[in-house]
């Protein structure tokens, strides 16, 4: 309060435009000699405001007519309308952020902004990359790069256009999408990255909006991308359609006739080991086999765990989810897997399984169940679904072993595939 009272009336009027006082950490211009600043964030995380304020940071000088660091900028968006309506005229756009004495003028016929000090910013559409051939710039703001229709052509043309000034640089504000250009950009030596979730900017969002999107999309791959601002992995020739899984996601566990805990133990138990996949799946086993539906209930996997740790976690998952059978792959551990489990629950219903074909061959019939709409997921299965998105017809495209997917496949094979191979009473149990 004392600080505010010490300011003159002109200083008070200018105060809202001193963005450093109000900026969130991910909106502050990074220090250092970078070429590209990528701001990754969920919907409503404040990316547009950060981009608009960065443009001000580049073009404005210490006085209204003084030159800033940059004088010729490119503004590139998915379409020209989005550049104009979001980046320039939007509620968090350049015009809304600019103080009166440094307010630029929009020249509609030339598709550009002009500042009192002579700086200009030209608008471009990512659907027309050839328009970037010829002009040259010392700075650029690229918005929603992940959505660009001609992303590679437009990005390449923009890089050739950034060729004047002592050190041309650019800002990319985008919700992360699994685009090769964006992935490569994040790995470049001259790139710095800041990140924010939707809730990081909750003070500027409607409370009902945040509650709704987190309730509706929280825990889904769409939610991880659009709310958490997370790069959701995807792979060509993927076995699973992750968008379809999102569309069929359940909010609550339905009545189930059987529940299975499947375990894929790691070969060793030290800090460098693969995780132990522990996945809980249930099925409604009423009526004809073709009417059965399965639900993936939980991913209880544990990281780099010693045998007694993952065995205890698997037994606890059995009790927590009222499971009637534990299925465990024994390729690596043999009888030791069962012996370790029975240290914690001597009479646990247990079935050993042995992998005799490749992971892709085992996963194929299970992926077919998803295509038939016979498997649904509950929420908060992000780690499992990331592995699923990287399982392809050519094998697993991620790092390490797809331990969670292996456990999922064993569970659904027990519940849905095996009964079709050899008809049996689903309530008969086979203890190890």
């Amino acid at each position: 309060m004392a600080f505010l009272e010490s300011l003159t009336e002109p200083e008070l009027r200018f105060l809202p435009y001193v963005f450093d006082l109000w900026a969130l950490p991910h909106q502050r211009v990074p220090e250092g000699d970078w070429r590209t600043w990528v701001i990754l964030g969920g919907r409503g995380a404040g990316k547009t405001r950060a981009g608009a304020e960065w443009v001000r940071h580049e073009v404005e000088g210490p006085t209204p007519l003084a030159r800033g660091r940059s004088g010729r900028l490119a503004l590139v968006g998915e379409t020209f309308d989005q550049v104009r309506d979001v980046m320039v005229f939007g509620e968090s756009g350049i015009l809304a952020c600019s103080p009166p004495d440094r307010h630029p003028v929009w020249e509609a016929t030339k598709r550009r902004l002009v500042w009192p000090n002579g700086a200009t910013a030209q608008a471009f559409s990512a659907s027309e990359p050839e328009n970037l051939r010829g002009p040259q710039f010392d700075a650029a703001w690229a918005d929603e790069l992940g959505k660009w229709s001609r992303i590679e052509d437009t990005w390449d043309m923009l890089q050739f256009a950034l060729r004047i000034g002592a050190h041309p640089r650019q800002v990319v504000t985008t919700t992360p999408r699994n685009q090769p250009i964006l992935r490569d950009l994040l790995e470049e030596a001259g790139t710095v990255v800041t990140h924010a979730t939707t809730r990081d900017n909750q003070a500027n969002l409607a409370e009902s909006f945040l509650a709704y999107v987190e309730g509706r999309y929280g825990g889904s791959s769409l939610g991880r991308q659009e709310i958490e601002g997370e790069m959701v992995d995807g792979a060509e020739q993927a076995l699973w359609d992750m968008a379809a899984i999102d569309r069929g996601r359940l909010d609550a566990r339905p009545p189930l006739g059987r529940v299975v805990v499947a375990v894929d133990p790691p070969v060793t138990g030290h800090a460098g080991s693969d995780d132990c996949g522990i996945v809980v799946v249930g099925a409604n086993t009423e009526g004809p086999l073709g009417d059965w539906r399965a639900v993936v209930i939980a991913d209880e996997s544990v990281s780099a765990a010693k045998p007694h740790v993952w065995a205890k976690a698997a037994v606890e998952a059995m009790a927590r989810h009222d499971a009637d059978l534990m299925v465990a792959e024994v390729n690596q551990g043999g009888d030791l897997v069962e012996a370790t489990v029975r240290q914690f629950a001597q009479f646990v219903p247990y079935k050993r399984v042995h992998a005799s074909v490749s992971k892709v061959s085992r996963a194929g019939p299970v992926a077919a169940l998803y295509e038939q709409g016979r498997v649904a997921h509950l929420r908060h299965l992000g780690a499992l679904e990331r592995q699923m998105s990287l399982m392809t017809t050519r094998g697993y495209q991620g790092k390490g072993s797809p331990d969670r997917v292996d456990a999922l496949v064993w569970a659904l094979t027990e519940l849905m595939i095996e009964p079709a191979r050899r008809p049996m009473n689903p309530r008969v149990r086979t203890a190890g």
Side-chain angles (χ1 to χ4, degrees), residues 58-224:
E58 288 294 297
V59 303
E60 291 180 7
T63 64
L65 298 181
R67 299 300 297 266
R69 182 187 180 280
S70 301
R72 296 174 67 178
L73 287 81
L75 307 176
V76 189
E78 182 183 11
T79 66
F80 168 71
D81 287 350
Q82 291 194 347
V83 175
R84 180 193 61 207
D85 297 343
V86 177
M87 300 170 72
V88 177
F89 285 94
E91 292 183 5
S92 298
I94 295 169
L95 294 179
C97 297
S98 299
D101 62 346
R102 291 168 171 81
H103 204 274
V105 175
W106 173 247
E107 296 183 346
T109 57
K110 296 182 178 180
R111 295 187 173 186
R112 71 176 187 177
L113 284 169
V114 180
W115 275 264
N117 64 2
T120 60
Q122 188 80 39
F124 294 91
S125 167
S127 63
E128 300 173 312
E130 290 302 312
N131 287 343
L132 282 162
R133 186 185 293 275
Q136 53 187 1
F137 306 99
D138 50 12
W141 173 18
D143 188 48
E144 292 298 352
L145 175 67
K147 292 173 58 183
W148 290 3
S149 57
R150 300 182 62 181
I151 183 171
E152 292 191 13
D153 292 341
T154 306
W155 183 254
D156 289 344
M157 289 299 98
L158 179 60
Q159 302 317 297
F160 283 117
L162 279 173
R163 60 178 184 260
I164 61 174
H167 181 48
R169 58 184 183 179
Q170 59 197 338
V171 162
V172 176
T173 53
T174 187
T175 301
R177 292 196 176 191
N178 192 32
Q179 294 278 9
I181 286 287
L182 182 54
R183 285 194 171 279
D184 291 346
L185 180 61
L186 296 177
E187 299 298 323
E188 287 185 3
T191 298
V192 294
V193 181
T194 58
H195 172 266
T197 68
T198 298
R199 71 182 65 86
D200 289 331
N201 194 34
Q202 62 183 331
N204 297 308
L205 302 173
E207 184 176 343
S208 59
F209 162 77
L210 195 57
Y212 176 79
V213 295
E214 289 190 329
R216 177 67 179 85
Y217 303 105
S220 70
S221 57
L222 182 62
R224 296 201 308 274

Side-chain angles (χ1 to χ4, degrees), residues 266-310:
V267 178
T268 57
H270 55 72
S273 300
D274 292 322
D275 293 347
C276 176
I278 304 173
V279 175
V280 186
V281 183
N284 177 0
T285 55
E286 298 295 329
L289 180 61
D291 293 340
W292 292 8
R293 297 292 185 270
V295 178
V296 183
I297 299 169
D299 177 5
E300 304 280 4
S301 303
V302 290
S303 300
K306 294 182 178 179
H308 73 277
V309 175
W310 61 251

Side-chain angles (χ1 to χ4, degrees), residues 44-63:
K47 303 183 298 297
T48 302
R49 178 66 185 273
E53 292 287 356
W54 177 79
V55 169
R56 283 190 57 207
H57 177 273
E58 288 294 297
V59 303
E60 291 180 7
T63 64

